[in-house]
Amino acid sequence: MKGNTGAAATAPPGGRVLALCGGIGGAKLVLGLDAVLGAGRLTVIVNTGDDFEHLGLHVAPDLDTVLYTLAGLSDPVRGWGRVDESWNFMTALRELGGEAWFALGDRDLAVHIERTRRLRGGETLTSIVADMARRLKVEARIAPMTDDRVRTIVHTPDGPMPFQHYFVKHACTPAVTSISFAGAAEARPSPVFPGAVADPSLLAIVICPSNPYLSVDPILAVPGVREALEHATVPVIAVSPIIGGKAVKGPTAKIMKELGVAATSAAIAEHYHGLIDGLLIDAADAAEANLVDIRVATAPTTLMKSIDDKCKLARIVLDFAGQLANEREPA
Ligand code: GDP
């Protein structure tokens, strides 16, 4: 199928949406989808390949970004961590010569400590995240991709690196030769996932504009997730994280080039080939629509700065999903 869909913005009544997402880029659209859909109609499956054990704590950066964003607690300036944060712990840690390359704010620390305590007590990450979300008054359902241990490994000419060493310690400077997901083959999806995919009121599955290699591929590597998307009876739509040949933020375009892929929205469509029914791209990339053999919709902009931008893009995504669903209906 090929085509180009202009977008009237309407949110369909009722029904649920399932979103797959990483951290900051994905969470922007998640916030818009949650606002447009209204209370309790969104389920978000979040990458945990970035999780790591640090200072004896289980840190889950993408889960926390989504949680803080939906709870209205994320820092709008830094883009990560909590608003109204203080840094007494980090200051004291530095004074002691401790491992200070990964910044943990004081309020953020409470989440890591509580999550680690509960994990050690035998609770699953799925259950802990659901409870934290409820306590922080988030109505969307947030779940990790798995309760099992999956760790993203970035392979570089200098050898393999755990994700956070590549991303934070080395600020994404090493060239990426390949990426693997240790433990993925033995992992099972969070129990939230099969229920969300099979929900008869499901309207669409949305792959957020997250880094396809570092944030979405780990989710798809969990056995059963890719297959569920391939066989979904509702439209599966991805939003391109590339605008005008560049990533809005982070190493997506750099990694694409290092892996020998053009940093284009057409290449994003190729990456998700067989998985998605439609790709939403920025008007800046409209010329690429004809290079892609899936349905493409263009939004006037896919850049989300304000809450209004996020809601507008969410409406366009839902409208696109509605069009694709209508086209599937038997005549
Ligand atoms: P991370 O885990 O914090 O790196 O976040 P994600 O993987 O969820 O998001 C990173 C991706 O989001 C990058 O490829 C960015 O290009 C993309 N991104 C960030 N903001 C926007 C935006 O406003 N619009 C679009 N289309 N992509 C965005």
Side-chain angles (χ1 to χ4, degrees), residues 73-142:
L73 295 174
S74 62
D75 187 295
V77 180
R78 266 196 326 273
W80 55 269
R82 290 180 70 146
V83 73
D84 289 334
E85 191 56 284
S86 58
W87 303 94
N88 296 316
F89 168 76
M90 288 308 293
T91 305
L93 186 66
R94 254 184 232 106
E95 280 166 7
L96 296 173
E99 258 196 78
W101 59 271
F102 193 89
L104 295 171
D106 299 335
R107 287 174 192 273
D108 189 36
L109 200 51
V111 172
H112 307 311
I113 289 173
E114 180 60 4
R115 175 170 44 225
T116 306
R117 184 189 69 77
R118 290 170 71 164
L119 282 169
R120 287 196 184 132
E123 223 178 307
T124 64
L125 194 53
T126 295
S127 146
I128 297 166
V129 173
D131 183 58
M132 286 185 173
R134 185 182 59 77
R135 287 172 190 271
L136 296 177
K137 310 217 169 2
V138 171
E139 288 181 297
R141 198 183 305 161
I142 306 174

Side-chain angles (χ1 to χ4, degrees), residues 128-257:
I128 297 166
V129 173
D131 183 58
M132 286 185 173
R134 185 182 59 77
R135 287 172 190 271
L136 296 177
K137 310 217 169 2
V138 171
E139 288 181 297
R141 198 183 305 161
I142 306 174
M145 65 191 199
T146 179
D147 287 324
D148 299 317
R149 184 190 158 95
V150 176
R151 294 292 177 267
T152 297
I153 309 288
V154 179
H155 299 267
T156 77
D158 299 327
M161 275 183 201
F163 175 82
Q164 296 298 345
H165 284 237
Y166 163 77
F167 200 73
V168 179
K169 209 171 193 176
H170 297 287
C172 309
T173 45
V176 176
T177 52
S178 65
I179 298 162
S180 60
F181 309 110
E186 298 80 40
R188 286 148 303 162
S190 158
V192 169
F193 179 76
V197 176
D199 188 330
S201 71
L202 190 66
L203 295 169
I205 300 174
V206 179
I207 300 179
C208 290
S210 289
N211 186 316
Y213 304 91
L214 294 174
S215 295
V216 181
D217 282 358
I219 306 177
L220 300 174
V222 177
V225 174
R226 175 179 286 275
E227 296 75 3
L229 265 60
E230 281 169 357
H231 296 115
T233 52
V234 297
V236 181
I237 290 175
V239 178
S240 177
I242 296 291
I243 303 178
K246 295 197 177 97
V248 177
K249 195 175 164 294
T252 306
K254 178 177 177 281
I255 291 174
M256 291 174 89
K257 287 176 200 150

Side-chain angles (χ1 to χ4, degrees), residues 1-5 269 277-281 286 288-290 292 294-298 320:
M1 275 194 296
K2 252 187 208 179
N4 206 332
T5 314
D277 301 297
L279 180 72
L280 182 62
I281 64 173
E288 291 178 37
N290 292 326
V292 173
I294 53 162
R295 283 291 297 274
V296 172
T298 54
F320 188 25

